[in-house]
Each structure stands twice: as structure tokens, then as C-alpha cells.
């Protein structure tokens, strides 16, 4: 009996200790979140610090609460329109004496996004306010932003290494064969390369031709933007023979960059901070290298979007287009269509702008979203499409609903084509001794048979469905763009186009960004563009999501003890490879899960920032944890 009472006391003690620990963790997290919440009143004289430790995207994904609260480092996603608004507000805000770009852990963005942010940085510089950029190591994306700054700093142990777009893509045919998986592929489009990783071990000549044209166009604009922003930079030797250029400087990359005019100063963070402090000041009690800083989140909160004038609705179609519901960062057919239809109930909307930043996805969901947009036209509202970084395949399908289509010169678009993949595992099961047999009453009985594969009747039926889907896609484009079906088929076939060529062949009407599209929508509604404001039709984050988001935010310039990768070149490359591995695992999982008929662009994802989705990263972490136990 005494033993039982002792055991009970131990259990009660363990329970009380766990409750106490949970309470302490809760209040610690609550304090951290409240401390990190944007505070409009906290704006004071200093430097606006943009610590871009992540990617710039059209629509950030919701932070995974388990990853955030577990203490694991979470790469941030910064909303494009917020970054641009903050930079434009910095030009006229008297509190802002300078802008600091902290690009040490910048993971990149799509080409048109980088150009838009770069233009905003250059506007700050043109206003007379200094913009200082710092990174231990710059790659292409970070350097394009930094080139627009007044002064570029890099660590003497780092430097600028330019690689240009392109490189290897992952092909899974060899893995599929080893696993005994049979990927049944149904597609239309000579250039529809999104299925090639599952049916080939290399890139087809048609896909290589299309990719070369796209990469060349993007790279040409990148070089033009850098040359315009920083004409003194002699970057060509570092693009044609970087090793030789660095060897000429005794192997010192940073010194070679300095001699070529690519950077202005070499120094560590303390030296950089002291240089900023000379411009914006520093408190007497601040350690060396610190300066009066304005928090980005506080600054964005202090400069909200205008609510004056008539309302122009803006619906964002960002990320993969999927069936059903989806959280921000993905475009669920049910979710997006509901947001549109709910917004149309408000008679205050005078026009609708469809902002597309998607590589496509489900053809069914794409059509569902397009039909919802057409309801705005049925109510007499002008509809304008604004293509962001990419609007390809299903993204272009959605875009056709606009009366006029805006795009940037390096927007990735087109990819008019569809496909479907059904994996079966008959060969896998044979390896472990599993066989199948049965009785069929029709040619389609038991099809698709995950154990026995597919038969010709089933394959013919699905291929017919894919061809019919492509015909519908061509018809939608033909009607909306006033082109013959033959012409659409000629420029379709799954081929990807940049905004410039797309304008020439009639897939795009005008060049311009989101604000240009909103102004166009206002004019079509017979309103003065100066007297309208945007109303974003989007689901507001829950209080818990805001709490988690605030908890993950770190004060600009502060370090933490999280799981950070080194910010030098080796660290950048190691992180890129890790993210590539995570995407490969995610692709394998998506293949095994199957899916609907797809209108998706492979080249679009190849140009995406070097950052895997949170779900792919969690899968990699799970596998690595099990392997290292």
C-alpha cells in the first residue's frame, strides 16, 4: 500500500511539473508574441531595416504553428505589396533617414518580383535618402536588389557570385523504374514538359528549346536592370569566367568584386552598423555596430493601404491551383470562388482586378475560378487581369476572364496544355510476391487497377478526356483573346512565354504592374484612378495565426539561437541543396497521391526561389530525424 501511495505521489508530482512547464511556455510565448506585434506608435527617427530572411511572394503561406512553436527556424515570406508600400512610404516619411537592406539570408523571388522591388528601392535612392545593402554573400537575386542601393557592403570573407538562371532539374524516371512504379501519362502539347520528370531521365529537345528561350530572356533583362542601376559594375568577367576573375585577385572574391565596382565597401556587421549610425544616429547605450532602427513590421502597420475613394476589388490567385479549399499561398477552387462571390455581394465594388501569380494546377479548379470571375462581368463590373511573377497553364486559364490582361516583360505565362498522371504499382508488388487476378464484366471493370495497371480501353478513354480538356482550354483562350483556335494551338502546345513575346503574339494586352491594372479598372468603371482604393478579397488570418506569425518574428538585427545555416556562399549553396531535396521528396509524394487533370508549368517552378514548401520541408525533416536516430 505504501508503494502505491509513493507511486501516486510521483505521478502527481510529474503532472504538476508538466502543467507548470506548459504554463511557463505559454506565458513566455505570449510575452514574445506581444513584444513582436507591430506597433504603429513605435516609429522614431532612424533607418528602416528590411531584414529579408526568406522570400518575397505574392501571398504568404500561413506559418505552421508546430514548426514555429517548436523553436525550429522558420523562413519568412514577405508580401510583395507590403514591401513595395514600405519602400514607397520611406521616401516621404521624415522619420526615415535611410533604408537598410539586410540580405544575409535572402532566399530570392521570381524575376518580375525582384524587378518590382528593385524599382521601389531605386525610387528611395532617387528621393535623396541613402539605401545601404549588406550581405555576407550575394547571389543573383540578392545582388539585383542590392544593385539598386546607394551603397553595397559585403563581408571580406564573402562576396558576389553570379550564376545566371538555369541549371539541372530533377527527373524521376530512374527512381520510378527502381521502385517498380508505372506512371501512366496522358497529355497534349509538344512543349508540355511538366510530365517529363516522370517519363524521361532527361529533358526533351522541345522542352530544352523552350527553356533556353525563356532563360535567355530573363537573363538579358537581369543584366539590363543591373547595368541601369549600377553602371560602374563590371559584371561580365564574373559571368563568363568567374574563376579567372577571382584568381587575378589572389583568390579573394570580395576583393575582386570591389575592384570590379560590384561592391563599395568590405566590412563586417560592426563596421557596417557604424557606417549606418553615422547617418541615422545611435543611442549612447548601444553596443558598437548598432544604430537607430525602425522595425519593418511597425513601419508597415504605420502606413496602411488607403481606404479613400471608390472600391476596386482585388482577388489574388497565388500558388498552386488545387481542388476544394486551400489556405493562403495556394489557390483552392472552392476558396477563391467563394471569396469572389462573397465580394460581389457588396455593391460597393466598382470593378474587379484578378491578380494571378500561379504556375497552374487543377484544370477543374481553374475553370471553377474563371466561372466565378465571369459572375463579376455578369453584374456589369469591368474585370482586369494583372499577371504577377507568373500566370501559366491554369494561371493563364484563369487570366482569360479579364477584359484586358496586364503583365510585366518577364512575367512567365502561356503553357497552354494539360496532362494527367496515374501511378500504378503492379511491378512493385511483384517484387514482394503479390499478384492479382479477378473477373471483369466490362473492359473498364476495376480500372484504374492500382495492382494490375491499366488496359488499352482505359488509356484511350483518359487520353480522349485530356484532348477534350485541351480543346476546351484552346476554346477559352480563342474566345477571350479573339484568336482562331488554329492560332492558339500553334502558340499553345504547352509552350511557356515571357511577357514580352506573349504581348507580341496576343496573349497579353499591356505592360504594367498591379497598380496599373487597378488604374485601368477604375477608368473602365468611369472613375478617376486617383479616387479609388483596392479592397483585397481574402480571408483574414485567425487570431491564432496572427499569434503564431508574431511569435516567429524576430527584431531586425537581432540574432537568435535557432537552427540557422551559415550566411556565406557555402551556407547558401547547402541550403539550396537541402530545399531541392525537400522538393524532390514532395514531388514523389504528390505522384504517389495521384491527382486530377493538371494544367501546370514545370519551368515556372524551376525559376522559383530556392525554398521548398513547408509540407515538403516537414517531410524531409521527418525522414532525416528517423535516419539519424
Amino acid at each position: 500500500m505504501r508503494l502505491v501511495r509513493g507511486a501516486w505521489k510521483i505521478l502527481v508530482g510529474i503532472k504538476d511539473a508538466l502543467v507548470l512547464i506548459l504554463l511557463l511556455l505559454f506565458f513566455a510565448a505570449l510575452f514574445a508574441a506581444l513584444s513582436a506585434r507591430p506597433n504603429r506608435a513605435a516609429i522614431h527617427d532612424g533607418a528602416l531595416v528590411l531584414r529579408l530572411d526568406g522570400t518575397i511572394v505574392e501571398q504568404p503561406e500561413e506559418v505552421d504553428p508546430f514548426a514555429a512553436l517548436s523553436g525550429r527556424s522558420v523562413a519568412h515570406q514577405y508580401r510583395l505589396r507590403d514591401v513595395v508600400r514600405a519602400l514607397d512610404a520611406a521616401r516621404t516619411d521624415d522619420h526615415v533617414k535611410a533604408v537598410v537592406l539586410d540580405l544575409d539570408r535572402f532566399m530570392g523571388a521570381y524575376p518580375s518580383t525582384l524587378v518590382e522591388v528593385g524599382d521601389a528601392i531605386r525610387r528611395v535612392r532617387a528621393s535623396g535618402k541613402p539605401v545601404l545593402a549588406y550581405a555576407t554573400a550575394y547571389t543573383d537575386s540578392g545582388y539585383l536588389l542590392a544593385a539598386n542601393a546607394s551603397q553595397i557592403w559585403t563581408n571580406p570573407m564573402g562576396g558576389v557570385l553570379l550564376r545566371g538562371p538555369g541549371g539541372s532539374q530533377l527527373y524521376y524516371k530512374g527512381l520510378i523504374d527502381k521502385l517498380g512504379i508505372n506512371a501512366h501519362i496522358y497529355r497534349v502539347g509538344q512543349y508540355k514538359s511538366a510530365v517529363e520528370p516522370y517519363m524521361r531521365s532527361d529533358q526533351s529537345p522541345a522542352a530544352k528549346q523552350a527553356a533556353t528561350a525563356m532563360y535567355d530572356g530573363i537573363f538579358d533583362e537581369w543584366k539590363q536592370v543591373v547595368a541601369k542601376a549600377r553602371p560602374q559594375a563590371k559584371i561580365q568577367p564574373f559571368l563568363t569566367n568567374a574563376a579567372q576573375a577571382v584568381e587575378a585577385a589572389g583568390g579573394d572574391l570580395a576583393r575582386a568584386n570591389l575592384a570590379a565596382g560590384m561592391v563599395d565597401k568590405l566590412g563586417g556587421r560592426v563596421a557596417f552598423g557604424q557606417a549606418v549610425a553615422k547617418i541615422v544616429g545611435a543611442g549612447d547605450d548601444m553596443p558598437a555596430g548598432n544604430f537607430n532602427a525602425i522595425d519593418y513590421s511597425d513601419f508597415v502597420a504605420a502606413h496602411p493601404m488607403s481606404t479613400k475613394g471608390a472600391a476596386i476589388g482585388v482577388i489574388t490567385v497565388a500558388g498552386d491551383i488545387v481542388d476544394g479549399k486551400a489556405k493562403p499561398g495556394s489557390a483552392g477552387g472552392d476558396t477563391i470562388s467563394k471569396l469572389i462571390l462573397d465580394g460581389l455581394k457588396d455593391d460597393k465594388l466598382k470593378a474587379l482586378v484578378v491578380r494571378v501569380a500561379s504556375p497552374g494546377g487543377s484544370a477543374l479548379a481553374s475553370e471553377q475560378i474563371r466561372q466565378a470571375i465571369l459572375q463579376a462581368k455578369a453584374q456589369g463590373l469591368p474585370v482586369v487581369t494583372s499577371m504577377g511573377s507568373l500566370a501559366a497553364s491554369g494561371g493563364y486559364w484563369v487570366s482569360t476572364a479579364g477584359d484586358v490582361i496586364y503583365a510585366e516583360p518577364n512575367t512567365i505565362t502561356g503553357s497552354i496544355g494539360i496532362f494527367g498522371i496515374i501511378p500504378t504499382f503492379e511491378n512493385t508488388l511483384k517484387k514482394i510476391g503479390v499478384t492479382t487476378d479477378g473477373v471483369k464484366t466490362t473492359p473498364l471493370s476495376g480500372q484504374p487497377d492500382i495492382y494490375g495497371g491499366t488496359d488499352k480501353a482505359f488509356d484511350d478513354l483518359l487520353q480522349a478526356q485530356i484532348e477534350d480538356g485541351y480543346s476546351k482550354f484552346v476554346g477559352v483562350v480563342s474566345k477571350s483573346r479573339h484568336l482562331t483556335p488554329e492560332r492558339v494551338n500553334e502558340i499553345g502546345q504547352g509552350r511557356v512565354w515571357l511577357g514580352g513575346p506573349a504581348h507580341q503574339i496576343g496573349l497579353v494586352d499591356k505592360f504594367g504592374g498591379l497598380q496599373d491594372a487597378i488604374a485601368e479598372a477604375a477608368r473602365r468603371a468611369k472613375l478617376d484612378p486617383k479616387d479609388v482604393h483596392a479592397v483585397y478579397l481574402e480571408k483574414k488570418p485567425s487570431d491564432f495565426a496572427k499569434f503564431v506569425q508574431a511569435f516567429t518574428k524576430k527584431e531586425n538585427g537581432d540574432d537568435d539561437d535557432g537552427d540557422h545555416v551559415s550566411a556565406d556562399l557555402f551556407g547558401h549553396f547547402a541550403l539550396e541543396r537541402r530545399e531541392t531535396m525537400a522538393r524532390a521528396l514532395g514531388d514523389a509524394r504528390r505522384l504517389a497521391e495521384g491527382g486530377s487533370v493538371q494544367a501546370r508549368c514545370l519551368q515556372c517552378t524551376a525559376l522559383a526561389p530556392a525554398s521548398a514548401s513547408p509540407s515538403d520541408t516537414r517531410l524531409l525533416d521527418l525522414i532525416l530525424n528517423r535516419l539519424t536516430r
Side-chain angles (χ1 to χ4, degrees), residues 352-365:
L352 179 67
V353 172
V354 183
R355 176 67 168 178
V356 183
S358 171
S362 166
L364 178 64

Side-chain angles (χ1 to χ4, degrees), residues 398-415:
V398 169
S399 299
T400 60
D403 301 314
V404 60
I405 297 178
Y406 276 76
E408 301 287 2
N410 57 358
T411 294
I412 304 165
T413 188
S415 191

Side-chain angles (χ1 to χ4, degrees), residues 53-66:
D53 52 343
T55 58
I56 303 174
V57 299
E58 191 70 36
Q59 185 180 67
E61 300 177 32
E62 286 187 1
V63 176
D64 176 13
F66 298 103

Side-chain angles (χ1 to χ4, degrees), residues 49-61 74-83 102 105-106 109 113 296-297 549 553-554 556:
V49 179
L50 271 68
R51 185 175 186 243
L52 299 176
D53 52 343
T55 58
I56 303 174
V57 299
E58 191 70 36
Q59 185 180 67
E61 300 177 32
V74 177
H76 295 146
Q77 293 182 329
Y78 295 85
R79 192 188 303 271
L80 170 61
R81 67 173 186 260
D82 291 342
V83 173
D102 187 338
R105 295 187 175 91
F106 181 52
T113 297
Y296 168 77
S297 298
Q549 184 73 21
K553 291 294 184 182
K554 299 182 287 293
N556 285 305

Side-chain angles (χ1 to χ4, degrees), residues 601-621:
C601 164
L602 177 66
Q603 289 95 335
C604 298
T605 54
L607 282 166
S611 179
S613 70
S615 60
D616 291 351
T617 301
R618 287 196 298 272
L619 178 61
L620 176 62
D621 287 341

Side-chain angles (χ1 to χ4, degrees), residues 3-301:
L3 180 62
V4 173
R5 283 198 299 268
W8 177 253
K9 287 181 180 180
I10 292 174
L11 290 174
V12 170
I14 293 173
K15 182 263 294 181
D16 291 341
L18 289 174
V19 170
L20 179 61
I21 291 172
L22 287 173
L23 284 173
L24 289 173
L25 287 173
F26 172 77
F27 284 112
L30 181 61
F31 175 77
L34 292 175
S35 300
R37 287 177 64 183
N39 181 7
R40 300 184 186 187
I43 306 302
H44 50 76
D45 289 357
L48 173 61
V49 179
L50 271 68
R51 185 175 186 243
L52 299 176
D53 52 343
T55 58
I56 303 174
V57 299
E58 191 70 36
Q59 185 180 67
E61 300 177 32
E62 286 187 1
V63 176
D64 176 13
F66 298 103
L69 298 177
S70 68
R72 193 182 76 201
S73 177
V74 177
H76 295 146
Q77 293 182 329
Y78 295 85
R79 192 188 303 271
L80 170 61
R81 67 173 186 260
D82 291 342
V83 173
V84 172
R85 189 170 82 249
L87 288 167
D88 283 336
R91 291 183 296 160
T92 56
D93 192 310
D94 292 335
H95 289 299
V96 179
K97 306 304 180 183
V99 172
V100 168
L101 302 176
D102 187 338
L103 302 171
D104 239 354
R105 295 187 175 91
F106 181 52
M107 296 298 296
Y110 275 103
S112 68
T113 297
L114 293 170
V115 172
E116 186 172 350
V117 175
D119 288 344
I121 294 169
R122 195 161 62 252
R123 289 195 294 269
V124 177
R125 189 180 76 179
S127 73
K129 295 186 177 182
V131 181
L132 296 91
Y134 181 89
T136 303
Y138 295 94
T139 52
D140 301 45
S141 296
Y143 190 71
L144 188 143
L145 298 186
N148 291 278
S150 315
Q151 198 174 95
I152 303 177
W153 283 65
T154 190
N155 192 293
M157 299 293 290
V160 183
L161 183 61
L162 305 176
R163 295 176 290 175
S168 300
Q169 294 178 349
L170 299 174
Y171 289 81
Y172 309 121
K173 185 65 168 66
L175 173 63
I176 288 172
D177 290 343
K178 284 186 177 181
L179 296 176
I181 300 173
N182 190 359
H184 302 269
I185 295 170
Y186 314 89
R187 67 167 177 167
V188 176
Q190 178 186 1
Y191 298 95
K192 200 61 188 173
S193 58
V195 296
E196 288 191 355
Y198 306 107
M199 60 184 291
R200 296 177 60 97
S201 57
D202 60 357
Q203 197 172 42
S204 69
K208 193 177 291 289
Q209 174 191 353
T212 299
M214 182 179 67
Y215 288 143
D216 286 347
I218 288 173
F219 197 30
D220 285 343
E221 181 165 5
W222 184 93
K223 289 185 284 189
Q224 291 171 15
V225 170
V226 170
K228 178 180 178 182
R230 193 173 181 84
Q232 71 269 36
K234 300 178 180 64
I235 64 172
Q236 194 57 40
F238 292 85
L239 295 174
T240 54
N241 196 335
Q244 185 179 42
V246 175
E247 286 172 4
D252 191 327
L253 176 61
R255 286 287 175 189
N257 297 148
L258 183 65
M262 298 171 67
V263 301
D264 299 296
K265 300 283 184 179
L266 304 183
R269 280 196 171 274
V270 173
F272 175 74
Q274 289 173 333
V276 177
K278 289 181 181 179
I279 301 172
V280 305
D284 294 335
D285 58 344
M286 286 184 174
N290 283 259
F291 52 86
N292 295 328
I294 302 173
D295 180 77
Y296 168 77
S297 298
D298 292 340
F299 193 74
V300 170

